[in-house]
Structure formats: structure tokens, C-alpha cells
């Protein structure tokens, strides 16, 4: 029988600080409708998104946005960079093809020498990262772990009519959480899943190592659309609503809780309709679900920590509350976390 690590913890881990950063440039639906055949009504009706933030390539990188989010999280936790023992960094859009941006952020924070682990699980990335950090703390290996979700999607989008089903959805940003050893219960559980049969239903193909040598050359890239996000939106949507519910119920069951016990649900911000579907199924009132897709679009791994950071700042996460995180995305991967605040 598999060992249940949730049952054999030595320590507890608690989120003691949250921070986020989004680029200054606001991209409205109106702006997009000047670039491609789309319109404000369609985007709002199908996705709930009113605007999103896109980086200014002269100013923003995944590394420096993450550093800003991390500094805010540390400040809110009354900690400094020196207190961080380890970094778990969720991102699928790193500044370089490799290395990942965890080390870039680490450099910006002056934390050279401590470990920085990269997690490449797209929209589920932050929960995977949180789970990894949780295990490191529970086993006593680290005391304070910086967990980050950050993405720049905008520069990978096809901003013509050909790419409209993805171009209108994605946004850029970074969110950070400080996870620390605690005497009190914090992260109650995490459940992680994947199903690689659907890998190509939401993916960016290039610059993939599976490409023949000639096709990985820069001149060839210019002639292909392999860098662009490809998404079978309908199919992804249908899987998302099922998996979200499954993995939330899994978390509740594992902790002997019912849906009524959830104080705040922070779902990955993929589509407002997906969030509303889950809300309906769980019969949660509006005040128990936090959505900010209206303002930021889908920021992939950054969406949950940005939403948590905002919800916390708005006083929506209070001591003893049960916070439920859930995500679904490319891979497919899906995950949930239940947290006693
Ligand atoms: O975060 C990771 C996980 N991602 C998700 O969970 C996303 C899941 N999928 C979705 O959110 C939705 O499928 C989308 C928002 C991507 C698309 O919404 P939809 O209601 O599934 O639309 P559709 O793809 O079925 O397209 C309906 C119509 C099509 O036209 P026809 O064939 O009916 O004439 C599209 O060509 O809407 C058209 N369309 C657009 N029209 C205006 C697609 N994109 C656009 C657009 N503006 N941006």
C-alpha cells in the first residue's frame, strides 16, 4: 500500500505571507478587437475576462516580476530574504529555454547558494510547488520555503484572428507564498494528478527537443507556428469541469470535511464559466469563491497565488478558515490543496 504522507507528518507547514506583481500595461478587449476578429461581448460572455496585463519586454521578465512578488510576500510575513531556505518555482514560460527562472529570481533576491527547484506543470504548477514545499517542511528538511508561480504568456500568443481562441485568454503576472514550519495545522492536504494522454490538447510545441535538428534552427522557427499555444478549448473545458470537482471532493474526503466547511475557494483562473460551474456544484455563495480573471485573464501558474494574495489583502482569509485551492491545465494535470489558515 502506498504510504500516505499526509498521515505521517512530523511538522506542519503554514503560509505566512503572500505577494504578487502584475505588469502595468492593461490590455482591454477593445484593444484586442483592433488586432483580430473578436469583440468585447464574445470575450466577456465566453470567458468573463474584461482585461489582462501584458508585459513590456523592455521592463518585465519572469525573474524580476517574481522577485517583486516574493519581496512583498516576505515583507507581509515580517521576514527577509535571509530567512528563505529553499525555492520552489512553478513556471512554463521561463525567461530562457533553460535554465528555469527560479534561479533568475534567486539571483535578484541575492539568495545564491540555496536550492531552487523548477516545477513545469502549467496551471496546476503552483499547487504542485506548494505540495513539494509542504513535504520538505513536514520532513524537517527546510523551515522556510518560497513558493512562486509566475508566467509571461503574452509573448507566445498568436495575436491574429488565427490565434484568437487563446490570445484573448492569457495574461502575465507573478505570485508568491512563504511556507513555514508551524506548530499549528496549515496545509492540510494536497492531491496531485496527471494524464499525459492529453498532452497535445494544450501545449506549446517549440522549441521542443523532439524536433529534428534542422527544425530547431532559428530560421526555421520563423516559418513555423510551433511556438504558438495550441489549445482544444472545448475539450479542455469539458475535462476541466470534471477534474476540478473530483479533486476538490478528494481533498474534502481526505480531511473528513464537507463542501460547507470551505471558507474560501480559490480556483485556478482559467475561465469564469468554469469557476461558476464549480461554485454551483459546490453550492457556494459568491463570497466564498475568489475570482479575478476579470482583471488578469488566465495567468497559468501565477493565477492562484495572485488571487490568494489579493484575497488575503482584502481580508478574505481569516485565521482558522479552510481555504481550498484547485487547478486544472496542460498535461492534463490537476490538483487541489486544502489549507487551514
Ligand atoms: O488554464 C488551463 C486550462 N484552460 C481551460 O480550462 C480553458 C478551457 N476552454 C475555454 O475556456 C473555452 O473553450 C474557450 C474560452 C477557449 C472558448 O470558448 P467556447 O465557448 O468553447 O468557444 P468555441 O471554441 O466553441 O468557439 C465558438 C465560436 C467559434 O466559431 P464558430 O465555429 O462557431 O463559427 C470560434 O471560431 O467562437 C469563435 N471564436 C471566437 N470568436 C470571437 C473563438 N475565439 C473567438 C474570439 N472572438 N476570441
Amino acid at each position: 500500500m502506498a504510504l500516505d504522507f499526509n498521515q505521517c507528518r512530523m511538522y506542519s507547514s503554514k503560509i505566512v505571507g503572500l505577494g504578487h506583481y502584475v505588469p502595468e500595461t492593461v490590455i482591454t478587449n477593445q484593444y484586442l478587437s483592433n488586432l483580430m476578429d473578436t469583440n468585447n461581448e464574445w470575450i466577456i460572455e465566453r470567458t468573463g475576462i474584461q482585461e489582462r496585463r501584458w508585459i513590456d519586454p523592455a521592463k518585465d521578465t519572469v525573474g524580476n516580476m517574481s522577485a517583486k512578488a516574493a519581496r512583498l510576500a516576505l515583507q507581509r510575513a515580517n521576514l527577509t530574504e535571509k530567512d528563505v531556505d529553499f525555492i520552489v518555482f512553478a513556471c512554463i514560460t521561463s525567461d530562457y529555454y533553460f535554465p528555469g527562472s527560479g534561479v533568475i529570481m534567486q539571483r535578484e533576491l541575492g539568495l545564491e547558494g540555496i536550492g531552487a527547484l523548477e516545477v513545469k506543470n502549467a496551471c496546476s504548477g503552483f499547487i504542485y510547488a506548494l505540495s513539494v514545499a509542504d513535504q520538505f517542511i513536514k520532513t524537517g528538511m527546510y523551515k522556510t520555503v518560497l513558493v512562486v508561480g509566475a508566467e509571461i504568456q503574452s509573448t507566445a500568443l498568436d495575436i491574429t484572428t488565427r490565434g484568437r481562441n487563446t490570445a484573448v485568454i492569457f495574461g502575465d503576472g507573478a505570485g508568491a507564498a512563504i511556507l513555514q514550519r508551524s506548530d499549528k495545522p496549515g496545509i492540510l492536504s494536497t492531491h496531485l494528478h496527471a494524464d499525459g494522454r492529453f498532452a497535445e490538447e494544450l501545449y506549446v510545441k517549440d522549441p521542443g527537443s523532439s524536433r529534428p535538428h534542422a527544425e530547431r534552427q532559428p530560421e526555421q522557427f520563423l516559418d513555423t507556428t510551433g511556438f504558438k499555444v495550441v489549445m482544444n478549448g472545448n475539450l479542455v473545458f469539458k475535462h476541466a469541469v470534471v477534474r476540478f470537482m473530483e479533486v476538490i471532493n478528494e481533498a474534502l474526503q481526505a480531511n473528513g470535511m464537507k463542501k460547507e466547511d470551505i471558507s474560501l475557494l480559490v480556483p485556478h483562473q482559467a475561465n469564469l464559466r468554469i469557476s461558476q460551474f464549480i461554485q454551483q456544484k459546490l453550492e457556494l455563495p459568491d463570497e466564498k469563491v475568489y475570482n479575478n480573471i476579470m482583471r488578469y485573464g488566465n495567468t497559468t501558474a501565477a493565477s492562484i497565488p495572485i488571487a490568494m494574495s489579493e484575497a488575503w489583502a482584502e481580508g478574505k482569509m481569516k485565521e482558522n478558515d479552510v481555504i481550498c485551492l484547485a487547478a486544472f491545465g496542460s498535461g492534463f494535470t490537476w490538483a487541489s490543496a486544502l489549507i487551514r489558515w
Side-chain angles (χ1 to χ4, degrees):
M1 207 177 97
L3 195 59
D4 183 354
F5 282 95
N6 290 319
Q7 299 302 314
C8 64
R9 63 183 67 120
M10 287 176 275
Y11 298 100
S12 285
S13 69
K14 217 167 170 64
I15 295 177
V16 294
L18 290 161
H20 72 283
Y21 175 82
V22 290
E24 281 166 19
T25 310
V26 175
I27 303 292
T28 60
N29 294 342
Q30 181 57 45
Y31 174 85
L32 292 177
S33 64
N34 294 332
L35 299 177
M36 64 192 80
D37 180 14
T38 189
N39 56 74
N40 186 42
E41 295 66 39
W42 191 96
I43 300 173
I44 289 182
E45 192 196 314
R46 301 294 177 120
T47 73
I49 299 168
Q50 293 167 16
E51 57 189 38
R52 71 287 292 142
R53 304 293 179 98
W54 284 2
I55 59 144
D56 172 352
K59 275 201 233 158
D60 303 306
T61 64
V62 169
N64 70 25
M65 291 196 304
S66 309
K68 286 176 189 162
R71 285 201 185 98
L72 181 59
L74 284 166
Q75 185 196 320
R76 285 169 167 178
N78 286 322
L79 296 172
T80 70
E81 284 86 341
K82 301 269 173 301
D83 295 304
V84 177
D85 301 321
F86 191 65
I87 294 165
V88 189
F89 197 88
C91 177
I92 53 169
T93 54
S94 47
D95 295 308
Y96 303 129
Y97 180 60
F98 69 82
S101 291
V103 295
I104 312 293
M105 178 196 72
Q106 180 208 46
R107 186 174 65 191
E108 295 234 1
L109 294 174
L111 287 174
E112 294 87 341
I114 66 165
L117 176 73
E118 307 286 334
V119 172
K120 206 173 169 184
N121 282 99
C123 304
S124 309
F126 181 77
I127 298 178
Y128 269 74
L130 191 68
S131 178
V132 170
D134 181 42
Q135 310 312 316
F136 274 129
I137 288 176
K138 281 177 179 159
T139 57
M141 175 118 173
Y142 297 118
K143 217 169 143 191
T144 306
V145 182
L146 169 56
V147 188
V148 174
E151 306 284 2
I152 293 177
Q153 291 287 4
S154 58
T155 47
L157 300 171
D158 178 353
I159 51 173
T160 67
T161 298
R162 191 180 48 199
R164 66 182 179 174
N165 75 320
T166 52
V168 302
I169 294 174
F170 291 100
D172 306 332
I178 312 294
L179 200 64
Q180 205 167 44
R181 187 188 292 178
S182 166
D183 300 334
K184 296 188 190 138
I187 308 294
L188 300 178
S189 69
T190 52
H191 290 89
L192 313 177
H193 297 280
D195 188 341
R197 286 176 300 172
F198 299 100
E200 286 80 21
E201 299 298 341
L202 173 46
Y203 82 134
V204 176
K205 188 170 188 174
D206 288 320
S209 56
S210 60
R211 284 295 218 183
H213 181 263
E215 289 178 28
R216 286 189 77 187
Q217 303 311 303
E219 311 84 60
Q220 297 289 332
F221 286 165
L222 299 175
D223 299 330
T224 67
T225 56
F227 282 124
K228 307 289 184 284
V229 182
V230 176
M231 177 166 78
N232 182 345
N234 278 165
L235 187 133
V236 174
F237 192 106
K238 283 175 194 151
H239 281 259
V241 290
V242 173
R243 296 304 193 193
F244 260 106
M245 286 310 302
E246 271 178 19
V247 81
I248 291 171
N249 285 329
E250 189 177 14
L252 291 172
Q253 265 171 28
N255 291 283
M257 290 189 190
K258 296 200 253 349
K259 53 190 193 222
E260 297 78 32
D261 295 318
I262 296 175
S263 317
L264 188 71
L265 171 69
V266 185
H268 163 56
Q269 301 290 290
N271 184 321
L272 194 60
R273 284 190 290 146
I274 296 178
S275 296
Q276 286 165 344
F277 179 89
I278 305 161
Q279 177 179 351
Q280 259 178 19
K281 285 270 169 200
L282 292 171
E283 297 174 319
L284 294 175
D286 287 352
E287 62 273 15
K288 285 192 167 189
V289 183
Y290 194 85
N291 288 307
N292 61 6
I293 189 169
M294 303 72 92
R295 282 173 283 127
Y296 303 131
N298 175 353
T299 57
T300 319
S303 94
I304 291 179
I306 291 175
M308 286 177 80
S309 172
E310 287 198 337
W312 176 83
E314 290 167 26
K316 292 189 168 146
M317 297 199 289
K318 296 177 286 304
E319 200 172 349
N320 258 332
D321 275 357
V322 173
I323 313 295
C324 181
L325 314 180
F328 176 88
S330 171
F332 294 149
T333 59
W334 59 103
S336 64
L338 216 52
I339 301 170
R340 172 77 66 187
W341 201 253

